[in-house]
Amino acid sequence: VQLQASGGGLVQPGGSLRLSCVVSGSIFEIGPMSWYRQAPGKRRDLVASITTGSSANYADSVKGRFTISRDNAKNTGYLQMNSLKPEDTAVYYCNARVFRNSVAFSDYWGQGTQVTVSS
């Protein structure tokens, strides 16, 4: 199983980016998907998560600005980021719980995509 994250880049404050995370490999079902971020010298923090049924949760710092979604048919998760601030600058990582069968699962990480918010 592999997770491929993409969509990062350099954007001015107030701008938008959309991150994607494609899950590939031997998949029975994809459970919860999440996005984390890690700024230099800081710990990796949860940004948003979404269940298989598309119930979402957000860190307080991104509520109202970020939207997490998923397309189960495409095995893909998304993070739409609007009204970006310099403090959103970080490497963003996707995470997914992938089931090999109805009961056995493992958690996987993508490789990270850099988001830089700067004028």
Side-chain angles (χ1 to χ4, degrees), residues 36-60:
Y36 289 74
R37 68 185 180 188
Q38 187 169 21
K42 296 188 176 182
R43 68 182 185 186
R44 188 176 297 187
D45 288 327
L46 178 65
V47 175
S49 62
I50 187 168
T51 66
T52 304
S54 294
S55 176
N57 285 288
Y58 300 91
D60 288 342

Side-chain angles (χ1 to χ4, degrees), residues 9-15 84-89 115-119:
L10 173 63
V11 64
Q12 292 186 342
L84 282 161
K85 305 175 181 180
E87 51 263 43
D88 294 318
T89 296
V115 172
T116 303
V117 185
S118 175
S119 55

Side-chain angles (χ1 to χ4, degrees), residues 2 6 31 42 51 53-54 67 72 79 85 98 107 109 113 119:
Q2 291 185 325
S6 62
K42 296 188 176 182
T51 66
S54 294
T67 302
N72 292 328
L79 185 67
K85 305 175 181 180
V98 180
D107 291 334
W109 290 91
T113 184
S119 55

Side-chain angles (χ1 to χ4, degrees), residues 26-114:
S26 180
I27 302 167
F28 175 76
E29 184 179 83
I30 300 173
M33 299 183 74
S34 303
W35 289 93
Y36 289 74
R37 68 185 180 188
Q38 187 169 21
K42 296 188 176 182
R43 68 182 185 186
R44 188 176 297 187
D45 288 327
L46 178 65
V47 175
S49 62
I50 187 168
T51 66
T52 304
S54 294
S55 176
N57 285 288
Y58 300 91
D60 288 342
S61 59
V62 306
K63 282 182 181 177
R65 300 188 298 122
F66 291 10
T67 302
I68 190 171
S69 62
R70 63 191 290 165
D71 185 333
N72 292 328
K74 295 181 178 180
N75 291 339
T76 301
Y78 304 97
L79 185 67
Q80 177 67 43
M81 305 185 294
N82 299 328
S83 302
L84 282 161
K85 305 175 181 180
E87 51 263 43
D88 294 318
T89 296
V91 178
Y92 284 70
Y93 298 90
C94 61
N95 173 279
R97 175 158 292 180
V98 180
F99 285 80
R100 298 186 292 277
N101 52 49
S102 61
V103 295
F105 64 86
S106 296
D107 291 334
Y108 295 89
W109 290 91
Q111 84 284 8
T113 184
Q114 175 71 47

